[in-house]
Amino acid sequence: MIELSGMGVSSLKRCLIMITSGFPFGISETYIESEVVFLKDSFDKVIILPIELNPGADMMRTLPEGIEYYNVSQKRQSVARTGDILGGLRNLVSPTEFYKWDKKEIGSDFRKRMFFEYFCNRSQRSYGECVKVLDRIDLSDYDSITVYSYWFFATALVGVMLKEYFLKKCANVKLISRAHGYDVYEDRNALNYLPLRRFLLEKCDAVYPCSDVGTEHIISRYPEYADKVKTAHLGTVDAGLGMQSDDGLHIVSCSLITDIKRIDKIIDILEKIEKSGNYNIKWTHIGDGNRRPELEKSVRTRLKKTEAEFLGNIPNNEVYDYYKNNPVDLFISTSKSEGLPVSMMEAASFGIPIVSTDVGGVCEIVESGYNGQLLGERASTDEFADYIKHFYNMNKSERAFYRENSRRLWEEYFNAGKAYPDFFSTPALSRS
């Protein structure tokens, strides 16, 4: 085992093992693209292990030179997860070592117990797949290893097991995890339950929610771990300012099309505006989901004056190109739950004002009367429509005020050039 005494900090070689869901394969986790360029500045070796892919998944991203990545998955996810469920049924008789941590919270709730066992089996399988890859890589030259889970969920439990794996090989091993939305707020889960919260906090050296609201939520539930939990904002790259329309109003939304995002409510809002007067409005939605055909049909049926388009899932660089080359006046979100949306950071970087429900960490990127408007989680169609009409009737100088402030707020808190160097200088990640 490597000992560190007597060695200068500057001479230490550092390795980062980053555990993701799918990045850099496919088009998931696009927000990591802004962060990954900073990894090599802080670590001598970087290995990315996505754990939720199908074998043979397409590599869609261009990574900085020297970053290694491996698709560890050995079976199609549908097959593997069926096995995880069956393993969970077996564990009802012989519980895993983790069960003692959640036994009281699970109680007699069979659904929670099955979800817990499935979660543990899924994570243990993924850990085994990671080890089969890592066993082939010689890391003996590295003085420290940091395991970095991008999510405070299955990747974090895999991270716990990998930390134990590496402690047999290296004296200095740390485990850190980010935390976002579904992996922070229990009510985002149908069972109002997330497995192994206390265990993961115990085993992680640091947990970094992407918003102050997320940090406050975790600390309020687990105050004994407050010293481990600290906000670390995500960031987006600077592609310059966008344009505003010469006339009319161009509204953009950007998210998956899921029930929680309530994209159908945007159609309700636009229909309400159409019926209240003559407005020249275009709406563009970026993102996809299984309800897209239904929503497109609803647009054709209900919106008679509004130009609407669905761009589907497009690569992150194309989202930036769209904002750069098309006038966009207002970003809209009607979601009923969020972490702190990277889609809003991207919009704000181009100087686009935002109107949104006040959920999760959205209040950290939208300030009413400054760069847009926050409305209540249960804001009505009328409230959204009234604000959009109010914004529509602003003159150019009034709109410019909101645009300048949106860009200014982004520069201060969400510029990747500041956010990620700050993140990697935190005690759990810095060279000191």
PDB file of all heavy atoms in Angstrom, residues 1-28:
ATOM      1  N   MET A   1       0.844  -1.199   0.000  1.00  0.00           N
ATOM      2  CA  MET A   1       0.000   0.000   0.000  1.00  0.00           C
ATOM      3  C   MET A   1       0.878   1.248   0.000  1.00  0.00           C
ATOM      4  O   MET A   1       1.897   1.308   0.683  1.00  0.00           O
ATOM      5  CB  MET A   1      -0.913   0.001   1.229  1.00  0.00           C
ATOM      6  CG  MET A   1      -1.866   1.182   1.270  1.00  0.00           C
ATOM      7  SD  MET A   1      -3.007   1.096   2.669  1.00  0.00           S
ATOM      8  CE  MET A   1      -4.084  -0.214   2.107  1.00  0.00           C
ATOM      9  N   ILE A   2       0.484   2.260  -0.731  1.00  0.00           N
ATOM     10  CA  ILE A   2       1.273   3.484  -0.862  1.00  0.00           C
ATOM     11  C   ILE A   2       1.124   4.345   0.379  1.00  0.00           C
ATOM     12  O   ILE A   2       0.025   4.577   0.861  1.00  0.00           O
ATOM     13  CB  ILE A   2       0.816   4.282  -2.095  1.00  0.00           C
ATOM     14  CG1 ILE A   2       0.998   3.430  -3.353  1.00  0.00           C
ATOM     15  CG2 ILE A   2       1.584   5.572  -2.215  1.00  0.00           C
ATOM     16  CD1 ILE A   2       0.275   3.957  -4.543  1.00  0.00           C
ATOM     17  N   GLU A   3       2.248   4.822   0.927  1.00  0.00           N
ATOM     18  CA  GLU A   3       2.220   5.737   2.050  1.00  0.00           C
ATOM     19  C   GLU A   3       2.573   7.130   1.569  1.00  0.00           C
ATOM     20  O   GLU A   3       3.404   7.301   0.658  1.00  0.00           O
ATOM     21  CB  GLU A   3       3.214   5.295   3.143  1.00  0.00           C
ATOM     22  CG  GLU A   3       2.909   3.917   3.714  1.00  0.00           C
ATOM     23  CD  GLU A   3       1.620   3.884   4.485  1.00  0.00           C
ATOM     24  OE1 GLU A   3       1.152   4.960   4.905  1.00  0.00           O
ATOM     25  OE2 GLU A   3       1.071   2.788   4.682  1.00  0.00           O
ATOM     26  N   LEU A   4       1.981   8.171   2.183  1.00  0.00           N
ATOM     27  CA  LEU A   4       2.131   9.525   1.683  1.00  0.00           C
ATOM     28  C   LEU A   4       3.064  10.372   2.519  1.00  0.00           C
ATOM     29  O   LEU A   4       3.382  11.492   2.144  1.00  0.00           O
ATOM     30  CB  LEU A   4       0.763  10.209   1.635  1.00  0.00           C
ATOM     31  CG  LEU A   4      -0.288   9.480   0.798  1.00  0.00           C
ATOM     32  CD1 LEU A   4      -1.577  10.286   0.807  1.00  0.00           C
ATOM     33  CD2 LEU A   4       0.187   9.250  -0.612  1.00  0.00           C
ATOM     34  N   SER A   5       3.509   9.903   3.675  1.00  0.00           N
ATOM     35  CA  SER A   5       4.326  10.738   4.545  1.00  0.00           C
ATOM     36  C   SER A   5       5.634  11.117   3.878  1.00  0.00           C
ATOM     37  O   SER A   5       6.287  10.319   3.219  1.00  0.00           O
ATOM     38  CB  SER A   5       4.603   9.991   5.853  1.00  0.00           C
ATOM     39  OG  SER A   5       5.259   8.767   5.591  1.00  0.00           O
ATOM     40  N   GLY A   6       6.006  12.371   4.054  1.00  0.00           N
ATOM     41  CA  GLY A   6       7.275  12.862   3.547  1.00  0.00           C
ATOM     42  C   GLY A   6       7.253  13.297   2.106  1.00  0.00           C
ATOM     43  O   GLY A   6       8.250  13.757   1.569  1.00  0.00           O
ATOM     44  N   MET A   7       6.117  13.156   1.439  1.00  0.00           N
ATOM     45  CA  MET A   7       6.041  13.545   0.030  1.00  0.00           C
ATOM     46  C   MET A   7       5.415  14.915  -0.101  1.00  0.00           C
ATOM     47  O   MET A   7       4.467  15.251   0.595  1.00  0.00           O
ATOM     48  CB  MET A   7       5.200  12.532  -0.757  1.00  0.00           C
ATOM     49  CG  MET A   7       5.767  11.126  -0.775  1.00  0.00           C
ATOM     50  SD  MET A   7       4.746  10.004  -1.742  1.00  0.00           S
ATOM     51  CE  MET A   7       4.914  10.701  -3.367  1.00  0.00           C
ATOM     52  N   GLY A   8       5.942  15.739  -0.993  1.00  0.00           N
ATOM     53  CA  GLY A   8       5.374  17.055  -1.225  1.00  0.00           C
ATOM     54  C   GLY A   8       4.058  16.953  -1.938  1.00  0.00           C
ATOM     55  O   GLY A   8       3.859  16.094  -2.789  1.00  0.00           O
ATOM     56  N   VAL A   9       3.117  17.865  -1.592  1.00  0.00           N
ATOM     57  CA  VAL A   9       1.780  17.833  -2.205  1.00  0.00           C
ATOM     58  C   VAL A   9       1.869  17.955  -3.712  1.00  0.00           C
ATOM     59  O   VAL A   9       1.164  17.280  -4.463  1.00  0.00           O
ATOM     60  CB  VAL A   9       0.910  18.961  -1.610  1.00  0.00           C
ATOM     61  CG1 VAL A   9      -0.379  19.094  -2.402  1.00  0.00           C
ATOM     62  CG2 VAL A   9       0.607  18.673  -0.145  1.00  0.00           C
ATOM     63  N   SER A  10       2.766  18.818  -4.205  1.00  0.00           N
ATOM     64  CA  SER A  10       2.848  19.066  -5.642  1.00  0.00           C
ATOM     65  C   SER A  10       3.300  17.839  -6.422  1.00  0.00           C
ATOM     66  O   SER A  10       3.072  17.720  -7.607  1.00  0.00           O
ATOM     67  CB  SER A  10       3.805  20.234  -5.923  1.00  0.00           C
ATOM     68  OG  SER A  10       5.103  19.921  -5.453  1.00  0.00           O
ATOM     69  N   SER A  11       3.998  16.882  -5.736  1.00  0.00           N
ATOM     70  CA  SER A  11       4.510  15.701  -6.422  1.00  0.00           C
ATOM     71  C   SER A  11       3.511  14.550  -6.448  1.00  0.00           C
ATOM     72  O   SER A  11       3.751  13.543  -7.099  1.00  0.00           O
ATOM     73  CB  SER A  11       5.803  15.231  -5.749  1.00  0.00           C
ATOM     74  OG  SER A  11       5.533  14.767  -4.434  1.00  0.00           O
ATOM     75  N   LEU A  12       2.414  14.676  -5.712  1.00  0.00           N
ATOM     76  CA  LEU A  12       1.450  13.588  -5.643  1.00  0.00           C
ATOM     77  C   LEU A  12       0.695  13.433  -6.959  1.00  0.00           C
ATOM     78  O   LEU A  12       0.260  14.409  -7.561  1.00  0.00           O
ATOM     79  CB  LEU A  12       0.455  13.835  -4.504  1.00  0.00           C
ATOM     80  CG  LEU A  12       1.040  13.942  -3.097  1.00  0.00           C
ATOM     81  CD1 LEU A  12      -0.084  14.138  -2.085  1.00  0.00           C
ATOM     82  CD2 LEU A  12       1.848  12.708  -2.751  1.00  0.00           C
ATOM     83  N   LYS A  13       0.527  12.193  -7.376  1.00  0.00           N
ATOM     84  CA  LYS A  13      -0.248  11.900  -8.581  1.00  0.00           C
ATOM     85  C   LYS A  13      -1.657  11.502  -8.168  1.00  0.00           C
ATOM     86  O   LYS A  13      -1.834  10.632  -7.315  1.00  0.00           O
ATOM     87  CB  LYS A  13       0.415  10.787  -9.389  1.00  0.00           C
ATOM     88  CG  LYS A  13       1.758  11.184  -9.989  1.00  0.00           C
ATOM     89  CD  LYS A  13       2.306  10.073 -10.856  1.00  0.00           C
ATOM     90  CE  LYS A  13       1.462   9.845 -12.096  1.00  0.00           C
ATOM     91  NZ  LYS A  13       2.036   8.800 -12.986  1.00  0.00           N
ATOM     92  N   ARG A  14      -2.643  12.125  -8.800  1.00  0.00           N
ATOM     93  CA  ARG A  14      -4.020  11.963  -8.379  1.00  0.00           C
ATOM     94  C   ARG A  14      -4.862  11.374  -9.502  1.00  0.00           C
ATOM     95  O   ARG A  14      -4.758  11.780 -10.658  1.00  0.00           O
ATOM     96  CB  ARG A  14      -4.620  13.316  -7.957  1.00  0.00           C
ATOM     97  CG  ARG A  14      -3.791  14.047  -6.915  1.00  0.00           C
ATOM     98  CD  ARG A  14      -4.326  15.454  -6.687  1.00  0.00           C
ATOM     99  NE  ARG A  14      -5.554  15.436  -5.925  1.00  0.00           N
ATOM    100  CZ  ARG A  14      -6.637  16.124  -6.240  1.00  0.00           C
ATOM    101  NH1 ARG A  14      -6.666  16.862  -7.336  1.00  0.00           N
ATOM    102  NH2 ARG A  14      -7.708  16.072  -5.486  1.00  0.00           N
ATOM    103  N   CYS A  15      -5.727  10.437  -9.139  1.00  0.00           N
ATOM    104  CA  CYS A  15      -6.621   9.792 -10.096  1.00  0.00           C
ATOM    105  C   CYS A  15      -8.069  10.029  -9.687  1.00  0.00           C
ATOM    106  O   CYS A  15      -8.409   9.948  -8.501  1.00  0.00           O
ATOM    107  CB  CYS A  15      -6.327   8.291 -10.152  1.00  0.00           C
ATOM    108  SG  CYS A  15      -7.446   7.358 -11.229  1.00  0.00           S
ATOM    109  N   LEU A  16      -8.923  10.310 -10.661  1.00  0.00           N
ATOM    110  CA  LEU A  16     -10.354  10.484 -10.428  1.00  0.00           C
ATOM    111  C   LEU A  16     -11.116   9.391 -11.155  1.00  0.00           C
ATOM    112  O   LEU A  16     -10.918   9.178 -12.356  1.00  0.00           O
ATOM    113  CB  LEU A  16     -10.823  11.854 -10.931  1.00  0.00           C
ATOM    114  CG  LEU A  16     -12.322  12.144 -10.728  1.00  0.00           C
ATOM    115  CD1 LEU A  16     -12.587  12.563  -9.290  1.00  0.00           C
ATOM    116  CD2 LEU A  16     -12.814  13.228 -11.689  1.00  0.00           C
ATOM    117  N   ILE A  17     -11.988   8.703 -10.428  1.00  0.00           N
ATOM    118  CA  ILE A  17     -12.907   7.729 -11.026  1.00  0.00           C
ATOM    119  C   ILE A  17     -14.303   8.333 -10.951  1.00  0.00           C
ATOM    120  O   ILE A  17     -14.874   8.479  -9.871  1.00  0.00           O
ATOM    121  CB  ILE A  17     -12.894   6.388 -10.271  1.00  0.00           C
ATOM    122  CG1 ILE A  17     -11.467   5.878 -10.060  1.00  0.00           C
ATOM    123  CG2 ILE A  17     -13.754   5.359 -10.996  1.00  0.00           C
ATOM    124  CD1 ILE A  17     -10.745   5.497 -11.320  1.00  0.00           C
ATOM    125  N   MET A  18     -14.867   8.716 -12.074  1.00  0.00           N
ATOM    126  CA  MET A  18     -16.173   9.370 -12.123  1.00  0.00           C
ATOM    127  C   MET A  18     -17.239   8.364 -12.547  1.00  0.00           C
ATOM    128  O   MET A  18     -17.110   7.713 -13.584  1.00  0.00           O
ATOM    129  CB  MET A  18     -16.139  10.548 -13.101  1.00  0.00           C
ATOM    130  CG  MET A  18     -17.406  11.368 -13.136  1.00  0.00           C
ATOM    131  SD  MET A  18     -17.236  12.744 -14.316  1.00  0.00           S
ATOM    132  CE  MET A  18     -18.697  13.706 -13.938  1.00  0.00           C
ATOM    133  N   ILE A  19     -18.291   8.240 -11.729  1.00  0.00           N
ATOM    134  CA  ILE A  19     -19.364   7.286 -12.013  1.00  0.00           C
ATOM    135  C   ILE A  19     -20.589   8.063 -12.473  1.00  0.00           C
ATOM    136  O   ILE A  19     -21.124   8.898 -11.736  1.00  0.00           O
ATOM    137  CB  ILE A  19     -19.711   6.451 -10.776  1.00  0.00           C
ATOM    138  CG1 ILE A  19     -18.444   5.917 -10.096  1.00  0.00           C
ATOM    139  CG2 ILE A  19     -20.594   5.264 -11.166  1.00  0.00           C
ATOM    140  CD1 ILE A  19     -18.688   5.405  -8.713  1.00  0.00           C
ATOM    141  N   THR A  20     -21.041   7.788 -13.687  1.00  0.00           N
ATOM    142  CA  THR A  20     -22.195   8.473 -14.262  1.00  0.00           C
ATOM    143  C   THR A  20     -23.278   7.457 -14.602  1.00  0.00           C
ATOM    144  O   THR A  20     -23.061   6.243 -14.508  1.00  0.00           O
ATOM    145  CB  THR A  20     -21.802   9.233 -15.544  1.00  0.00           C
ATOM    146  OG1 THR A  20     -21.457   8.280 -16.567  1.00  0.00           O
ATOM    147  CG2 THR A  20     -20.609  10.156 -15.292  1.00  0.00           C
ATOM    148  N   SER A  21     -24.427   7.963 -15.019  1.00  0.00           N
ATOM    149  CA  SER A  21     -25.471   7.069 -15.514  1.00  0.00           C
ATOM    150  C   SER A  21     -25.167   6.631 -16.940  1.00  0.00           C
ATOM    151  O   SER A  21     -25.163   5.441 -17.249  1.00  0.00           O
ATOM    152  CB  SER A  21     -26.837   7.756 -15.462  1.00  0.00           C
ATOM    153  OG  SER A  21     -27.243   7.947 -14.131  1.00  0.00           O
ATOM    154  N   GLY A  22     -24.918   7.601 -17.830  1.00  0.00           N
ATOM    155  CA  GLY A  22     -24.686   7.260 -19.225  1.00  0.00           C
ATOM    156  C   GLY A  22     -23.562   8.021 -19.896  1.00  0.00           C
ATOM    157  O   GLY A  22     -23.037   7.584 -20.916  1.00  0.00           O
ATOM    158  N   PHE A  23     -23.213   9.181 -19.377  1.00  0.00           N
ATOM    159  CA  PHE A  23     -22.183  10.012 -19.988  1.00  0.00           C
ATOM    160  C   PHE A  23     -20.855   9.254 -20.022  1.00  0.00           C
ATOM    161  O   PHE A  23     -20.490   8.616 -19.037  1.00  0.00           O
ATOM    162  CB  PHE A  23     -22.021  11.311 -19.186  1.00  0.00           C
ATOM    163  CG  PHE A  23     -21.042  12.277 -19.772  1.00  0.00           C
ATOM    164  CD1 PHE A  23     -21.463  13.216 -20.689  1.00  0.00           C
ATOM    165  CD2 PHE A  23     -19.708  12.248 -19.419  1.00  0.00           C
ATOM    166  CE1 PHE A  23     -20.559  14.113 -21.243  1.00  0.00           C
ATOM    167  CE2 PHE A  23     -18.801  13.131 -19.967  1.00  0.00           C
ATOM    168  CZ  PHE A  23     -19.228  14.067 -20.877  1.00  0.00           C
ATOM    169  N   PRO A  24     -20.101   9.336 -21.128  1.00  0.00           N
ATOM    170  CA  PRO A  24     -20.257  10.202 -22.300  1.00  0.00           C
ATOM    171  C   PRO A  24     -20.959   9.536 -23.481  1.00  0.00           C
ATOM    172  O   PRO A  24     -20.853  10.026 -24.599  1.00  0.00           O
ATOM    173  CB  PRO A  24     -18.806  10.513 -22.661  1.00  0.00           C
ATOM    174  CG  PRO A  24     -18.081   9.234 -22.339  1.00  0.00           C
ATOM    175  CD  PRO A  24     -18.775   8.678 -21.119  1.00  0.00           C
ATOM    176  N   PHE A  25     -21.652   8.424 -23.246  1.00  0.00           N
ATOM    177  CA  PHE A  25     -22.365   7.752 -24.327  1.00  0.00           C
ATOM    178  C   PHE A  25     -23.759   8.361 -24.479  1.00  0.00           C
ATOM    179  O   PHE A  25     -24.282   8.994 -23.566  1.00  0.00           O
ATOM    180  CB  PHE A  25     -22.475   6.256 -24.038  1.00  0.00           C
ATOM    181  CG  PHE A  25     -21.149   5.553 -24.014  1.00  0.00           C
ATOM    182  CD1 PHE A  25     -20.383   5.537 -22.857  1.00  0.00           C
ATOM    183  CD2 PHE A  25     -20.660   4.921 -25.146  1.00  0.00           C
ATOM    184  CE1 PHE A  25     -19.158   4.892 -22.820  1.00  0.00           C
ATOM    185  CE2 PHE A  25     -19.432   4.274 -25.127  1.00  0.00           C
ATOM    186  CZ  PHE A  25     -18.675   4.254 -23.962  1.00  0.00           C
ATOM    187  N   GLY A  26     -24.374   8.137 -25.638  1.00  0.00           N
ATOM    188  CA  GLY A  26     -25.723   8.633 -25.876  1.00  0.00           C
ATOM    189  C   GLY A  26     -25.789  10.149 -25.763  1.00  0.00           C
ATOM    190  O   GLY A  26     -24.821  10.859 -26.003  1.00  0.00           O
ATOM    191  N   ILE A  27     -26.963  10.659 -25.382  1.00  0.00           N
ATOM    192  CA  ILE A  27     -27.132  12.112 -25.253  1.00  0.00           C
ATOM    193  C   ILE A  27     -27.583  12.493 -23.848  1.00  0.00           C
ATOM    194  O   ILE A  27     -28.008  13.624 -23.606  1.00  0.00           O
ATOM    195  CB  ILE A  27     -28.139  12.661 -26.290  1.00  0.00           C
ATOM    196  CG1 ILE A  27     -29.517  12.001 -26.120  1.00  0.00           C
ATOM    197  CG2 ILE A  27     -27.613  12.470 -27.699  1.00  0.00           C
ATOM    198  CD1 ILE A  27     -30.592  12.620 -26.996  1.00  0.00           C
ATOM    199  N   SER A  28     -27.486  11.559 -22.896  1.00  0.00           N
ATOM    200  CA  SER A  28     -27.910  11.867 -21.531  1.00  0.00           C
ATOM    201  C   SER A  28     -26.841  12.671 -20.810  1.00  0.00           C
ATOM    202  O   SER A  28     -25.681  12.734 -21.239  1.00  0.00           O
ATOM    203  CB  SER A  28     -28.192  10.577 -20.755  1.00  0.00           C
ATOM    204  OG  SER A  28     -26.996   9.833 -20.567  1.00  0.00           O
TER     205      SER A  28
END
